[in-house]
Amino acid sequence: MIPVFCISISIFVSFSLANMFGISLAALGMLSTLTTALTIDGYGPISDNAGGICEMSGANEWARKRTDALDAAGNTTAAIGKGFAIGSACLVGIALFGAFVTRSSMDSVNILRPLEFSGLIIGAMLPYYFSAMTMEAVGDAAFLMIEEIKRQFENPRIKDGT
């Protein structure tokens, strides 16, 4: 609940101070930390891979405990990075909607009108559509990776370990 309240307060304060320009600046402020957030988000998979390598290589228990602690920290940093991405996307969405309303010279938006309601439903569906396409692409890449691993294990030198 805390992130939702923070974003809501940011929207209210920035709109009160400078209308849609204020919201745009707030979005820009959140997006200015994007490189840091992406760097932090990359820490999770790296530490997870380190734990996997440690486990597969048969390292001692001390090393495994260390990589488990790093993996837990990596999961936390990944969640923080995703929170920044969601918050900035919210502010950017509001700024884009404000730009559309301003550019189209609309005085008000009434979601009880069929055209506006249809657009609202289509707009709400788009993130799910793009998420589904992303998940499908990940599944396709994983399938191709498994096929390549199977192909490599057919090599007699790999099978024998020489």
Side-chain angles (χ1 to χ4, degrees), residues 21-57:
F21 183 67
I23 292 178
S24 299
L25 289 178
L28 187 61
M30 283 195 76
L31 287 174
S32 67
T33 63
L34 185 62
T35 54
T36 304
L38 288 175
T39 303
I40 289 171
D41 198 26
Y43 177 78
I46 292 169
S47 60
D48 187 40
N49 287 345
I53 291 169
C54 183
E55 186 175 338
M56 288 186 291
S57 66

Side-chain angles (χ1 to χ4, degrees), residues 53-76:
I53 291 169
C54 183
E55 186 175 338
M56 288 186 291
S57 66
N60 62 19
E61 190 63 29
W62 177 86
R64 187 66 190 136
K65 285 181 183 178
R66 297 290 180 171
T67 56
D68 284 345
L70 291 173
D71 188 29
N75 293 336
T76 303

Side-chain angles (χ1 to χ4, degrees), residues 103-151:
R103 192 78 172 139
S104 64
S105 301
M106 296 173 73
D107 292 334
S108 65
V109 177
N110 184 358
I111 64 167
L112 296 177
R113 288 189 230 156
L115 184 61
E116 281 90 344
F117 190 71
S118 299
L120 180 68
I121 290 174
I122 291 170
M125 178 263 324
L126 286 177
Y128 298 104
Y129 175 70
F130 289 123
S131 297
M133 286 193 328
T134 303
M135 285 187 262
E136 186 177 345
V138 169
D140 292 345
F143 178 75
L144 291 173
M145 192 171 12
I146 289 170
E147 289 298 315
E148 177 62 21
I149 290 168
K150 285 180 182 177
R151 186 192 69 75

